[in-house]
């Protein structure tokens, strides 16, 4: 099936060179892979169309015979024949007319942001040739724990389905007992030099070899479990140590427990901890706070009250004559803190006054009144 280059650039069959250039710039700008709405496929197609239609002899051949008049590759690997010569226009490519490009700006009055296109083409590590370290994705999940577990810390196990290092070959991708051999694709270098034809001319770039992923060697025989990738998806149990005193909404980060990636660093796992509220206790820093309803007589006379704390049952001494909203402090029954000492339990006293008095109570209160209470 023949490709329609005119259609790709959105120009008519008798479009002028200027119209073709303009159309290509527009498309290149829009679909450049480094752009947000980038579309590598469309960008490549446009580039291919432009390489042909911008060249008079290629264009006339194309008009006669269609796209198959030559098998024009978009990329040429640096395997011997092509010598890298600085940035642009290495030997062997006659392709792009750089002077015409800059002229186009000065004379043609085209609305085109040169800086923009430069950053398009030189951004994203194309020029530096320095390979970015491969890193697996981070994973995030959340779990709910009880109030008490948040106070004292807990170990929780969760099941995660994620890409993990192959436990058969330990990530090498090689069949157990077999050796690695030099990657032929990159000649053991781990990277590939490439010359790309762009509207700025030929640009030499270096990228990580996509066969050995930068390692420079590949397995002679591949591990059957992971098909040589060194990683595969599986369900895995992860044990999470949740520290004592964690607060609702806090994150636990587990370095290296994210997704594994072939020949790269494993990502991290982030676990958001949701703490269930407690019916009795609230947290205030390192202290726990609770309300305690006292009868009026208990407040006046003093008594002992049984209380369920997170550490078990205790009895608190209510001294006689406590006031409304007075706070009793039970030392060391609050939130553990590894840096400071453990917080306290604060008991806020609420004295329940009777809403209705019996005849007997009334008589007694009137007695109290006489006493001046
Ligand atoms: Zn394996
Ligand atoms: Zn390689």
């Amino acid at each position: 099936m023949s490709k329609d280059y005119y259609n790709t650039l959105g120009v008519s069959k008798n479009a002028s060179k200027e119209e073709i250039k303009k159309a290509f710039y527009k498309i290149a700008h829009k679909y450049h892979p480094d752009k947000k709405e980038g579309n590598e496929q469309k960008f490549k197609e446009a580039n291919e169309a432009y390489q042909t239609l911008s060249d008079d002899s290629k264009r006339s051949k194309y008009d006669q015979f269609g796209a198959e008049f030559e098998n024009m590759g978009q990329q040429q690997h640096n395997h011997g024949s092509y010598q890298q010569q600085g940035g642009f226009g290495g030997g062997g490519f006659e392709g792009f007319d750089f002077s015409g490009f800059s002229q186009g700006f000065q004379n043609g009055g085209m609305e085109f942001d040169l800086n923009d296109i430069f950053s398009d083409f030189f951004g994203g590590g194309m020029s530096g040739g320095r390979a970015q370290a491969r890193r697996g994705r981070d994973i995030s999940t959340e779990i709910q724990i009880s109030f008490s577990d948040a106070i004292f810390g807990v170990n929780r196990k969760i099941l995660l389905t994620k890409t993990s290092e192959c436990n058969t070959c330990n990530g090498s991708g090689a069949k157990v007992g077999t050796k690695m051999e030099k990657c032929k694709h990159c000649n053991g270098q781990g990277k590939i030099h490439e010359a790309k034809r762009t509207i700025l001319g030929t640009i030499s770039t270096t990228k990580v070899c996509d066969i050995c992923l930068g390692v420079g060697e590949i397995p002679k025989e591949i591990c059957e479990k992971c098909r040589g990738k060194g990683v595969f998806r599986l369900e895995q149990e992860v044990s999470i140590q949740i520290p004592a005193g964690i607060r609702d909404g806090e994150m636990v980060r587990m370095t290296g427990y994210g997704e594994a990636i072939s020949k790269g660093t494993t990502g991290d796992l982030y676990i958001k901890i949701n703490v269930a509220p407690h019916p009795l206790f609230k947290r205030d820093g390192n202290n726990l706070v609770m309300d305690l309803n006292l009868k009026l007589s208990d407040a006046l006379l003093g008594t002992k009250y049984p209380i369920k704390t997170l550490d078990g049952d205790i009895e608190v001494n209510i001294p006689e004559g406590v006031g409304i909203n007075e706070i009793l402090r039970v030392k060391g029954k609050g939130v553990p803190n590894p840096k400071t000492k453990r917080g306290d339990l604060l008991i806020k006293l609420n004295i329940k006054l009777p809403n209705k008095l019996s005849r007997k109570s009334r008589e007694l209160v009137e007695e109290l009144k006489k006493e001046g209470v």
Side-chain angles (χ1 to χ4, degrees):
M1 228 177 66
S2 190
K3 297 170 197 166
D4 189 345
Y5 288 154
Y6 293 101
N7 196 25
T8 302
L9 294 181
V11 293
S12 69
K13 278 217 156 55
N14 40 32
S16 71
K17 278 185 104 167
E18 200 56 41
E19 284 171 325
I20 286 167
K21 190 191 271 180
K22 224 169 174 172
F24 170 60
Y25 282 178
K26 220 169 147 187
I27 293 170
H29 201 232
K30 188 171 172 194
Y31 290 124
H32 189 276
D34 287 352
K35 287 250 159 156
K36 214 162 153 201
E37 293 92 15
N39 183 323
E40 197 181 1
Q41 191 51 37
K42 286 212 161 95
F43 181 76
K44 278 184 174 167
E45 280 166 18
N47 189 42
E48 189 185 336
Y50 181 67
Q51 294 299 331
T52 298
L53 298 188
S54 61
D55 182 307
D56 286 340
S57 85
K58 282 181 188 166
R59 185 177 176 182
S60 76
K61 277 187 201 143
Y62 170 76
D63 288 341
Q64 272 183 283
F65 306 112
E68 274 69 49
F69 75 96
E70 61 172 358
N71 285 320
M72 228 179 67
Q74 290 305 294
Q75 300 175 349
Q76 212 155 334
H77 293 300
N78 181 18
H79 281 172
S81 63
Y82 166 66
Q83 284 288 311
Q84 195 175 326
Q85 289 175 359
F88 301 123
F93 290 119
E94 88 274 27
F96 190 78
D97 184 350
F98 186 68
S99 61
F101 179 80
S102 35
Q103 241 175 36
F105 285 94
Q106 284 143 18
N107 306 334
M110 286 168 42
E111 279 186 19
F112 208 73
D113 183 354
L114 187 62
N115 284 326
D116 209 5
I117 204 98
F118 260 96
S119 66
D120 276 359
F121 282 101
F122 291 100
M126 278 183 77
S127 57
R130 211 149 36 108
Q132 271 203 329
R134 289 167 58 83
R135 192 172 179 279
R137 282 192 314 133
D138 291 335
I139 305 175
S140 64
T141 184
E142 50 189 289
I143 56 174
Q144 168 130 358
I145 61 172
S146 72
F147 190 84
S148 175
D149 283 346
I151 300 301
F152 298 116
V154 67
N155 190 283
R156 284 284 288 271
K157 291 180 168 60
I158 56 167
L159 280 177
L160 282 177
T161 301
K162 62 186 181 101
T163 306
S164 297
E165 186 177 273
C166 174
N167 49 11
T168 302
C169 62
N170 290 325
S172 74
K175 192 172 171 180
V176 178
T178 64
K179 290 222 166 69
M180 304 288 279
E181 64 183 0
K182 190 158 92 176
C183 173
K184 291 190 185 80
H185 190 62
C186 63
N187 201 26
Q189 298 299 301
K191 54 194 174 202
I192 303 268
H193 301 290
E194 243 175 31
K196 268 193 187 167
R197 286 216 237 168
T198 75
I199 59 167
L200 293 181
T202 304
I203 299 179
S204 297
T205 63
T206 306
K207 63 166 201 166
V208 173
C209 171
D210 46 16
I211 303 297
C212 65
L213 302 174
V215 178
E217 48 184 19
I218 52 169
K220 252 183 172 152
E221 281 180 74
I222 62 167
C223 167
E224 276 159 20
K225 183 97 177 263
C226 63
R227 298 208 177 92
K229 289 194 176 349
V231 294
F232 66 102
R233 271 184 94 70
L234 79 162
E235 193 179 57
Q236 227 185 10
E237 191 182 75
V238 179
S239 169
I240 308 159
Q241 186 56 49
I242 297 161
I246 197 157
R247 288 162 188 280
D248 183 40
E250 271 188 71
M251 284 280 200
V252 172
R253 177 187 176 181
M254 293 181 70
T255 310
Y257 281 83
E259 297 252 15
I261 190 167
S262 290
K263 316 296 174 205
T265 323
T266 304
D268 297 338
L269 170 62
Y270 291 86
I271 309 117
K272 187 179 169 215
I273 309 294
N274 297 316
V275 179
H278 194 276
L280 218 53
F281 303 109
K282 285 196 170 52
R283 199 172 157 175
D284 180 15
N286 284 333
N287 295 327
L288 291 176
V289 183
M290 66 171 284
D291 290 314
L292 181 63
N293 291 332
L294 281 184
K295 282 190 284 186
L296 176 60
S297 55
D298 285 338
L300 291 171
L301 301 173
T303 186
K304 284 185 186 330
Y305 256 70
I307 287 188
K308 284 187 191 311
T309 71
L310 294 175
D311 298 75
D313 294 351
I314 59 164
E315 219 176 33
V316 286
N317 207 22
I318 313 286
E320 61 173 81
V322 288
I324 291 174
N325 288 337
E326 202 165 302
I327 290 170
L328 294 183
R329 183 179 290 263
V330 184
K331 281 211 179 299
K333 296 287 182 203
V335 184
N337 187 326
K339 287 179 199 131
T340 60
K341 60 180 180 26
R342 194 171 163 186
D344 301 330
L345 172 63
L346 305 179
I347 304 168
K348 212 160 141 190
L349 300 178
N350 182 27
I351 299 166
K352 284 298 243 188
L353 297 173
N355 348 357
K356 214 177 168 217
L357 290 175
S358 65
R359 182 192 286 257
K360 182 85 192 286
S361 302
R362 196 169 184 90
E363 284 169 19
L364 292 170
V365 174
E366 271 166 9
E367 285 295 309
L368 283 175
K369 195 175 173 182
K370 283 179 200 156
E371 286 293 314
V373 173

